Amino acid sequence: MQLKNLLKVSCLALFCFFALPALAQNKTVAGKVIDSKDGSPLIGASVVLKGTTTGALTDVNGDFRLSVPASATTLVVTYIGYTRKEFPITASPMTLSMDALNNSLNEVLVVGYGTQRKKDQTGAVVKVSSDDFVQGVTTDPLQQLQGKAAGVTISTNNGDPNQPEVVRIHGTASLGGGNDPLYVVDGVAGVDIRTINPNDIESFDVLKDASAAAIYGSRASGGVILVTTKHGKAGKVQVSYNTYVASESAEHLIQFANASQYLAAYQEANKGASMPTGTSTTSNQGANTNWFKALLRTGFTQSHNLAVSGGTEESHYRGSVTYQDQDGIAINSGRQNFNGRFNFDQKTLNDKLTITMGLAVDHSSSRYTDSIAWLDAAAVPSVISEYQPGGASGQYQYINNTQENNPVPFLADIINRGTTDKIIGNLRLDYLITPGLTISPYADAIRGNGTGHIYIPASTLLGPVVDRNGANVFDQGDGDEDNSSTTETIETVGATANYKTTFGKSRLNLLGGYEFNKYQYTGFHIEAHDTYDVDLPYQNVNAAINVNPVTDLSSYSNSSELNSYFGRAEYNFNDKYYVTGTVRYDWSNKLGINNQGEVFPSASAGWNISNEDFMKSVTWITSLKLRGGYGQTGDQDVIGPYSSQLLFGNAGGTLYYDGASGKWLPANFSIQNQNPGLRWEEKTTVDGAVDFSLFNGRLNGSIDFYNSNTNHLLFPYPVATGGQYFVNTILANVGTLNNKGVDLSLNGSIIKSRDFSWNAGGNISLNRNKITDLDGTLPGGAQVTQPYLQVGSTSGLGISGSIANIGYLATGYPVGTLLLPQYAGIDAQGNQLFYHYAADGTKSAVQANALNIGNPGSDDRRYYTTDPKFTYGITNTVRYKQFDFNLFLRGNYGSHAFNEVGMDYSTIAGKVGTYSLLANALAQGINSQPTPSSYWLQGTSFLKVQSATIGYTLIMKDNKYIDKLHLYAGGNNLFTFTSYKGVDPEINGNVVGGEAGIDARNGGLYPRTRELTFGVNLTLK
């Protein structure tokens, strides 16, 4: 027995001698695996001891724990869609940060009232960061978004520096306006995008479909563009200075007949007779004037931006100031802009409370041109001199033919100025009540003041001009003064509650909020006449002796309110299945009393196929995701305050004699019909998409399909006066508009090495727009049955009557449809011929006076559409060591426009000798009066070399003060390849209704600019 016990004790001792030291050599390693960019936990990541099979998977919180030998030094972490990484073992708990193979999938998107990882998105959201921006002349921030987001079309109507960019997301969604997107800057909605300097922008996030934008309810039918400005980062103070200078010139001019071409055309039209010489404005004065060049110059632009940023782990700040001065290429035109921005955030109360605030100020000063000057430049023949023949040196010639004036004094002598001052402030508090639950009260305000001033000196050379508010300032020859002022105030207060939690393999994110918006607008306008020779341009109102209190004085003051409740729920199961739902209730006093509130819901879902087990063997697919959604948004921009109410006012300055007082008093009439049922337009969208990343993130892209219907279209519909209607139009909800299309975007890393890289990206968008219904019910039950509405026309010398009415809204056709006779050529005498259709369907070529111009669809005219078949953008970025090169192309295919200038200035007979001609007018051989027809409907497909930039970066390692210096040179709008004969193939981007598709003389002749730039980006240590 004793021997057995001794053996047991010996065995135990031997076990302890060998086994316990071995056990003592193991240790426990614990930690969390997170995303390196946003810090979110990675569920199911593999954590393995290097060189062994010992490992573990992370749980729903990204946590892991495993036992490893005491001598172990390295862990290997792998996760689908992320780079394999090795980490040295340190004291627990460890935090292991993983980098996504495809950074675009891992980037953080800004969505309504929050953020979201791109890989978690279920709606159509596209991000353009500052890394994608093009250097050079960017006086409007939207130029940095142009052509880089599929489904987002950005165009400029002309080269005027005071002309804003026009943005359309997934086509035209409204007939009466309200197609512009909602701009939200750092959470502040309704900001004028031009008040932001591009150097201050961190990123754009575009909410393209209703499932993403419905959180903004009645303001989002045109889409939403969220702008995030730059903020400071923890670390040392960083100072940067960005500057550029640029020269600008006309990129293309319409070719009008020079003197020799004009005189040849005169001889052709007058059977060989030469044009009489003399000093009258209908004779050959011996000049060879290019009237457009007489209005143009080389413009210069300079821009300076200084920014200072920094912070600690608890607080961050960034401040910047910017000055820009841009000369227009038209004489006496341009724009100056000064703005400043300061962003600050501070953590306190043991990091439970985060205070975020921002302040921005902007001042702009504009020198405007008037469209009449460009119209005159097109009309006056080249054989007429700019200066008075035989007059004093530099004395402008007086030209007073019908529709003709000397255009140069309109720009040189008229003072047309405007200023805008805006201040934007925002404050937000984020307080963490319990883990996962944050409440966030916020407030922001926008205050704007604008002034307008026009001074027309006493001169017979000048005519009426249009002020910045669209009012005509009528010159009476003895000096005229026009002054206006406006104020705008937008105030917002609100609060959100956000709860985030995880359970099992699920993540849940809940958001609820309330918001109140108040809008106030006031304005004043005065026009004064007969200042005679008192030349005090900014002090002339008191000097004027003629002010009509009825027609020359006006003022307004209006306001509206918007109350909103909103919520959103996001659910994610195992990073595979995603569901998002939003709802918003908006109430506005702008609407009719019967329809002041509306609910805007949305729902979307996503399936990350690449995270499924059956996809693990497909190594060339980095990420593959299906998503789809449904949502509703509204449009309230079409509706102004009091639009639903019966309004009275003075119509056209009419007076009546009051016998009791013995005075002439203003006569007030009904100026607007009431509509108690007036409601928002409602846009309903269904969409589906595929997002993909291939070859370890080297090729990324998405395909989006959408179909949207805008119901309850707002439009001023014609009505018969009498009974309940006092005026002949009423703003009402009648009709439906459909948009459907496809967006495709691709981005690829073609070459990627230490010293050389080549990245290319492209997008293409197809949109089909169609009016599906123009019928409905007006207030009081009146039925509207109308297959079409005539809403647009063309103009020119000798054009009048029904044939000039070419712009139509027609059921079954898109916005921008034109109704035109079919061109059949010219006869031997140069008369234009058009097809006439007999009752039996046969057609014959006839002159214009034999055409049957009656009801559309039953006469000799046919509908023509002007929308493009698709738009596209292509970007190439090449880097070699410290050199960089960027080339950006964009364009469209299949679009058309009615060339009004071509129609008006191609006819020789009846025009030559008094009015200008195009250079190719003689070759065209047209001798009959200008007539709208399909001949003037010209293709406007184009390819633009939008920008090209080459730069070099100097790394100043040994310099005490300079960290990095980047020099670049480039150009914008360098070349346009098109067959279109007008000023530019991009026309009327901001026009809806019947004028869309018409390249009108009045307003469309300011040439686009070509810009050549040199710039410096400097970062200090």
Side-chain angles (χ1 to χ4, degrees):
M1 180 63 71
Q2 290 181 351
L3 180 60
K4 289 183 178 181
N5 290 336
L6 180 61
L7 289 173
K8 290 179 180 179
V9 172
S10 299
C11 289
L12 179 61
L14 289 171
F15 177 80
C16 293
F17 181 82
F18 290 104
L20 290 182
L23 290 174
Q25 292 174 4
N26 277 12
K27 60 184 177 182
T28 299
V29 179
K32 179 188 290 287
V33 179
I34 64 171
D35 183 290
S36 62
K37 189 161 188 177
D38 64 6
S40 60
L42 299 183
I43 304 170
S46 173
V47 183
V48 178
L49 178 64
K50 185 175 181 180
T52 73
T53 58
T54 302
L57 296 177
T58 57
D59 62 16
V60 71
N61 297 312
D63 296 330
F64 68 92
R65 178 181 296 271
L66 70 160
S67 178
V68 300
S71 60
T73 60
T74 306
L75 295 178
V76 179
V77 184
T78 57
Y79 189 68
I80 295 174
Y82 285 74
T83 303
R84 177 184 182 276
K85 292 183 73 174
E86 297 184 1
F87 297 90
I89 296 175
T90 59
S92 296
M94 300 172 61
T95 299
L96 311 181
S97 298
M98 298 289 286
D99 300 321
L101 283 170
N102 175 22
N103 289 327
S104 66
L105 289 177
N106 204 45
E107 66 188 1
V108 177
L109 303 175
V110 179
V111 294
Y113 305 95
T115 60
Q116 186 181 63
R117 295 182 304 177
K118 184 174 182 179
K119 59 188 176 184
D120 296 337
Q121 78 174 100
T122 54
V125 183
V126 61
K127 188 182 195 74
V128 177
S129 69
S130 56
D131 294 337
D132 303 313
F133 290 179
V134 175
Q135 294 177 314
V137 179
T138 49
T139 54
D140 190 317
L142 292 171
Q143 293 168 342
Q144 297 290 16
L145 184 59
Q146 190 175 47
K148 300 182 178 71
V152 181
T153 302
I154 300 175
S155 60
T156 306
N157 281 341
N158 55 50
D160 189 340
N162 298 296
Q163 186 73 234
E165 305 288 333
V166 179
V167 183
R168 294 291 178 264
I169 299 176
H170 286 171
T172 298
S174 175
L175 299 181
N179 286 287
D180 296 327
L182 173 69
Y183 297 101
V184 182
V185 180
D186 291 336
V188 182
V191 175
D192 180 356
I193 192 68
R194 296 198 79 183
T195 62
I196 310 169
N197 185 269
N199 288 294
D200 291 333
I201 295 177
E202 182 67 35
S203 66
F204 294 98
D205 292 87
V206 184
L207 312 185
K208 297 194 297 182
D209 70 345
S211 66
I215 193 72
Y216 287 103
S218 63
R219 297 176 290 177
S221 70
V224 181
I225 296 180
L226 304 170
V227 180
T228 302
T229 62
K230 295 177 180 178
H231 289 65
K233 298 177 181 179
K236 64 179 183 179
V237 176
Q238 186 178 64
V239 180
S240 63
Y241 172 65
N242 303 295
T243 183
Y244 66 77
V245 293
S247 67
E248 302 175 0
S249 58
E251 192 264 339
H252 172 71
L253 295 177
I254 297 177
Q255 297 302 306
F256 283 87
N258 59 29
S260 61
Q261 292 169 329
Y262 193 82
L263 295 175
Y266 185 94
Q267 286 185 316
E268 176 71 19
N270 291 274
K271 299 179 180 180
S274 298
M275 186 175 182
T277 59
T279 59
S280 74
T281 56
T282 56
S283 61
N284 176 14
Q285 295 182 349
N288 187 19
T289 307
N290 186 315
W291 287 102
F292 278 88
K293 289 185 176 180
L295 297 178
L296 298 174
R297 62 183 179 182
T298 298
F300 293 95
T301 297
Q302 59 174 316
S303 175
H304 308 273
N305 172 262
L306 177 66
V308 180
S309 64
T312 66
E313 293 299 325
E314 302 297 324
S315 65
H316 312 91
Y317 66 88
R318 185 181 188 275
S320 68
V321 292
T322 303
Y323 172 75
Q324 286 183 332
D325 185 2
Q326 183 180 15
D327 290 335
I329 60 172
I331 57 177
N332 206 19
S333 70
R335 187 173 190 264
Q336 287 183 322
N337 185 259
F338 173 83
N339 62 45
R341 178 172 293 273
F342 182 74
N343 291 329
F344 176 77
D345 63 85
Q346 173 73 53
K347 291 183 177 180
T348 185
L349 300 180
N350 295 323
D351 292 347
K352 286 189 174 183
L353 176 65
T354 301
I355 304 170
T356 304
M357 62 181 66
L359 180 67
V361 294
D362 179 82
H363 170 79
S364 65
S365 177
S366 299
R367 305 184 302 278
Y368 298 104
T369 64
D370 191 79
S371 60
I372 295 175
W374 304 103
L375 187 60
D376 289 333
V380 181
S382 56
V383 295
I384 304 300
S385 173
E386 177 181 348
Y387 300 101
Q388 183 66 42
S393 176
Q395 180 183 353
Y396 292 123
Q397 180 174 194
Y398 174 65
I399 303 172
N400 191 29
N401 300 328
T402 303
Q403 290 194 11
E404 285 184 31
N405 294 281
N406 191 330
V408 180
F410 270 80
L411 299 189
D413 293 347
I414 294 176
I415 295 175
N416 191 346
R417 302 286 188 266
T419 64
T420 302
D421 295 281
K422 290 198 174 184
I423 182 169
I424 305 166
N426 63 285
L427 174 65
R428 180 185 178 93
L429 307 177
D430 295 292
Y431 185 74
L432 183 65
I433 297 179
T434 61
L437 178 60
T438 303
I439 60 170
S440 305
Y442 59 90
D444 54 71
I446 302 172
R447 172 78 176 187
N449 295 289
T451 65
H453 174 81
I454 295 176
Y455 173 68
I456 306 175
S459 172
T460 57
L461 296 173
L462 305 173
V465 298
V466 179
D467 70 11
R468 60 179 299 182
N469 298 311
N472 285 315
V473 181
F474 292 100
D475 171 52
Q476 298 182 359
D478 295 319
D480 294 81
E481 181 91 7
D482 178 273
N483 286 296
S484 62
S485 64
T486 59
T487 61
E488 170 195 45
T489 303
I490 303 175
E491 298 170 336
T492 303
V493 294
T496 63
N498 187 205
Y499 179 67
K500 298 180 181 180
T501 187
T502 59
F503 49 94
K505 295 183 179 180
S506 299
R507 295 181 191 173
L508 183 64
N509 187 351
L510 301 176
L511 172 77
Y514 166 78
E515 189 172 270
F516 171 77
N517 296 272
K518 185 173 183 179
Y519 307 85
Q520 293 178 295
Y521 307 93
T522 62
F524 177 77
H525 171 263
I526 181 171
E527 188 174 332
H529 313 283
D530 301 343
T531 58
Y532 291 95
D533 58 350
V534 182
D535 193 14
L536 300 173
Y538 285 90
Q539 306 168 27
N540 255 4
V541 174
N542 290 337
I545 64 172
N546 185 357
V547 177
N548 186 328
V550 178
T551 58
D552 293 336
L553 298 176
S554 64
S555 64
Y556 66 86
S557 177
N558 57 58
S559 64
S560 64
E561 295 179 357
L562 180 67
N563 276 284
S564 306
Y565 299 88
F566 53 88
R568 178 172 57 223
E570 301 174 53
Y571 176 72
N572 170 359
F573 179 75
N574 201 26
D575 280 344
K576 295 181 181 178
Y577 314 108
Y578 306 85
V579 178
T580 302
T582 70
V583 64
R584 183 178 181 116
Y585 172 79
D586 279 346
W587 178 94
S588 173
N589 60 2
K590 292 201 299 184
L591 303 180
I593 192 65
N594 298 333
N595 287 305
Q596 292 187 321
E598 189 75 44
V599 176
F600 301 95
S602 78
S604 56
W607 177 24
N608 195 338
I609 303 173
S610 55
N611 279 356
E612 296 288 357
D613 292 339
F614 61 80
M615 291 292 293
K616 291 182 178 179
S617 61
V618 187
T619 58
W620 60 277
I621 296 180
T622 309
S623 176
L624 180 63
K625 184 178 181 180
L626 296 178
R627 54 181 171 83
Y630 162 90
Q632 290 183 342
T633 54
D635 187 355
Q636 66 164 337
D637 288 342
V638 188
I639 307 172
Y642 322 122
S643 291
S644 67
Q645 301 178 26
L646 179 65
L647 298 182
F648 288 83
N650 184 262
T654 304
L655 301 176
Y656 76 96
Y657 182 75
D658 180 43
S661 63
K663 299 179 179 179
W664 288 91
L665 302 178
N668 290 316
F669 302 91
S670 300
I671 58 173
Q672 177 179 282
N673 290 314
Q674 67 175 343
N675 185 352
L678 192 68
R679 59 182 299 175
W680 283 302
E681 292 182 343
E682 186 178 270
K683 182 179 177 181
T684 302
T685 303
V686 177
D687 64 274
V690 179
D691 300 325
F692 56 88
S693 175
L694 310 177
F695 313 115
N696 290 329
R698 295 290 292 272
L699 179 63
N700 311 300
S702 64
I703 305 174
D704 284 80
F705 303 86
Y706 62 89
N707 191 334
S708 67
N709 286 292
T710 305
N711 300 309
H712 316 300
L713 288 172
L714 284 159
F715 194 76
Y717 290 91
V719 293
T721 57
Q724 64 176 322
Y725 302 124
F726 298 94
V727 294
N728 60 4
T729 63
I730 183 171
L731 183 63
N733 301 93
V734 177
T736 304
L737 179 67
N738 176 262
N739 280 278
K740 57 185 176 182
V742 181
D743 298 336
L744 170 64
S745 62
L746 286 173
N747 294 282
S749 178
I750 300 174
I751 299 175
K752 186 176 182 181
S753 65
R754 179 179 177 181
D755 292 333
F756 183 77
S757 66
W758 176 17
N759 296 319
N763 63 78
I764 184 170
S765 300
L766 294 78
N767 178 268
R768 298 294 179 264
N769 172 279
K770 183 170 68 174
I771 298 171
T772 56
D773 186 13
L774 286 173
D775 299 340
T777 304
L778 295 179
Q783 294 296 312
V784 176
T785 302
Q786 46 196 11
Y788 60 85
L789 286 171
Q790 193 281 310
V791 287
S793 60
T794 183
S795 62
L797 287 170
I799 303 174
S800 61
S802 297
I803 200 169
N805 299 328
I806 65 173
Y808 280 79
L809 301 175
T811 300
Y813 292 90
V815 175
T817 292
L818 305 179
L819 188 66
L820 300 166
Q822 289 181 287
Y823 186 72
I826 57 175
D827 61 17
Q829 290 74 41
N831 297 307
Q832 297 177 82
L833 300 176
F834 313 93
Y835 285 118
H836 165 68
Y837 291 84
D840 59 1
T842 58
K843 64 180 182 181
S844 57
V846 300
Q847 295 186 31
N849 57 8
L851 287 172
N852 172 25
I853 305 298
N855 294 321
S858 61
D859 60 12
D860 286 333
R861 296 176 293 174
R862 294 293 180 267
Y863 284 122
Y864 295 88
T865 62
T866 59
D867 283 353
K869 295 185 183 300
F870 60 84
T871 61
Y872 58 92
I874 303 171
T875 302
N876 281 275
T877 302
V878 178
R879 290 184 174 88
Y880 174 68
K881 293 186 177 180
Q882 291 164 255
F883 288 95
D884 59 87
F885 174 74
N886 182 278
L887 177 65
F888 173 43
L889 312 173
R890 68 180 183 90
N892 81 33
Y893 174 76
S895 59
H896 293 80
F898 183 82
N899 189 342
E900 192 173 89
V901 171
M903 176 187 67
D904 274 351
Y905 300 107
S906 293
T907 294
I908 298 175
K911 290 288 187 74
V912 68
T914 305
Y915 302 102
S916 180
L917 296 173
L918 291 177
N920 65 348
L922 187 59
Q924 293 188 77
I926 299 175
N927 283 316
S928 56
Q929 285 293 324
T931 303
S933 75
S934 60
Y935 182 73
W936 308 112
L937 188 70
Q938 300 174 353
T940 52
S941 300
F942 68 87
L943 169 63
K944 284 180 179 283
V945 182
Q946 188 63 40
S947 66
T949 307
I950 187 169
Y952 183 78
T953 301
L954 291 87
I955 307 300
M956 317 288 282
K957 293 182 179 179
D958 299 326
N959 191 289
K960 293 182 180 180
Y961 307 105
I962 300 176
D963 182 37
K964 186 171 65 174
L965 178 64
H966 183 252
L967 308 175
Y968 65 90
N972 289 348
N973 200 33
L974 292 172
F975 302 102
T976 301
F977 301 97
T978 183
S979 62
Y980 185 58
K981 303 302 182 184
V983 175
D984 192 89
E986 285 189 290
I987 63 120
N988 291 347
N990 64 334
V991 176
V992 296
E995 302 296 339
I998 302 175
D999 190 5
R1001 301 174 306 156
N1002 190 6
L1005 294 176
Y1006 193 126
R1008 303 298 202 278
T1009 58
R1010 176 186 288 119
E1011 300 151 347
L1012 301 177
T1013 311
F1014 175 76
V1016 177
N1017 300 328
L1018 176 66
T1019 303
L1020 302 182
K1021 290 183 177 178

